[in-house]
Amino acid sequence: ELNEIFFIINKLEEITGIDNLLTSNKFWEYLVAVELEHKVNSEQGGRAGAHDAYDEDGKSYEYKVSKNTSWNFQDISENVLNKYYEDEAIILAVVDKKNLVVNSIHSASPDCVVPRLKEKLEEKLNRTGSLRRLQVSLSKGDLEKIKAKQLL
């Protein structure tokens, strides 16, 4: 039974061309990428895994996938925030994990997203006095502030 599961996982990875498809949010990123005609980066983290997906022109994208309209940005150091500027866009998607459906996709420029993330970090610091983790979320109410365009 376990061998059959591993066989199916390997087959899925072979079909999609994505290693570790069922780890983290890779599967959901794949579903979003299919909608956008992007290619998901198979690597997680590190230099090769610097970006979540690429388009046919080689432009990179950061994906945030959630089951509701709240997208988490974790461990967002100054280096991570600066790296977002290398991306063509930040993609914010909402998925229905039970029915395997992408419900909506928004796209926003890093030039709008990064300042909003910094602003939210600053608000959090002022509210709490210190930051244990460099983590904030963008929500539905932020979509207008970051000038997000609805793609789906």
Side-chain angles (χ1 to χ4, degrees), residues 93-140:
V94 176
V95 297
D96 178 343
K97 292 187 175 188
K98 185 177 179 186
N99 295 304
L100 301 178
V101 175
V102 179
N103 290 332
S104 69
I105 302 173
H106 287 82
S107 174
S109 167
D111 292 335
C112 295
V113 173
V114 172
R116 181 64 182 141
L117 292 173
K118 287 181 177 182
E119 188 178 300
K120 290 191 101 167
L121 277 171
E122 187 70 30
E123 289 169 4
K124 189 175 180 182
L125 178 61
N126 291 338
R127 196 172 53 248
T128 62
S130 67
L131 294 177
R132 211 177 69 217
R133 289 187 68 199
L134 295 174
Q135 174 185 337
V136 292
S137 297
L138 292 180
S139 63
K140 188 175 185 176

Side-chain angles (χ1 to χ4, degrees), residues 40-101:
V40 172
N41 185 355
S42 191
E43 302 297 320
Q44 281 284 109
R47 200 164 149 59
H51 308 283
D52 291 328
Y54 298 87
D55 66 15
E56 63 183 13
D57 297 324
K59 295 175 185 163
S60 62
Y61 297 83
E62 174 68 21
Y63 279 22
K64 293 297 177 185
V65 180
S66 177
K67 60 184 179 180
N68 56 41
T69 53
S70 180
W71 300 276
N72 293 322
F73 289 75
Q74 300 175 346
D75 303 319
I76 47 175
S77 65
E78 195 66 31
N79 283 345
V80 169
L81 290 170
N82 287 335
K83 190 177 74 169
Y84 289 154
Y85 284 116
E86 297 172 16
D87 292 316
E88 180 70 13
I90 310 291
I91 302 297
L92 306 170
V94 176
V95 297
D96 178 343
K97 292 187 175 188
K98 185 177 179 186
N99 295 304
L100 301 178
V101 175

Side-chain angles (χ1 to χ4, degrees), residues 4-53:
E4 195 173 339
I5 290 170
F6 286 123
F7 174 79
I8 292 168
I9 291 170
N10 286 332
K11 198 70 179 158
L12 286 170
E13 290 177 351
E14 186 181 304
I15 291 167
T16 61
I18 301 169
D19 295 333
N20 304 313
L21 178 65
L22 299 182
T23 59
S24 187
N25 253 355
K26 278 292 171 223
F27 178 75
W28 302 105
E29 290 174 2
Y30 174 74
L31 291 182
V32 171
V34 167
E35 291 288 340
L36 299 176
E37 298 181 10
H38 290 170
K39 183 169 175 38
V40 172
N41 185 355
S42 191
E43 302 297 320
Q44 281 284 109
R47 200 164 149 59
H51 308 283
D52 291 328

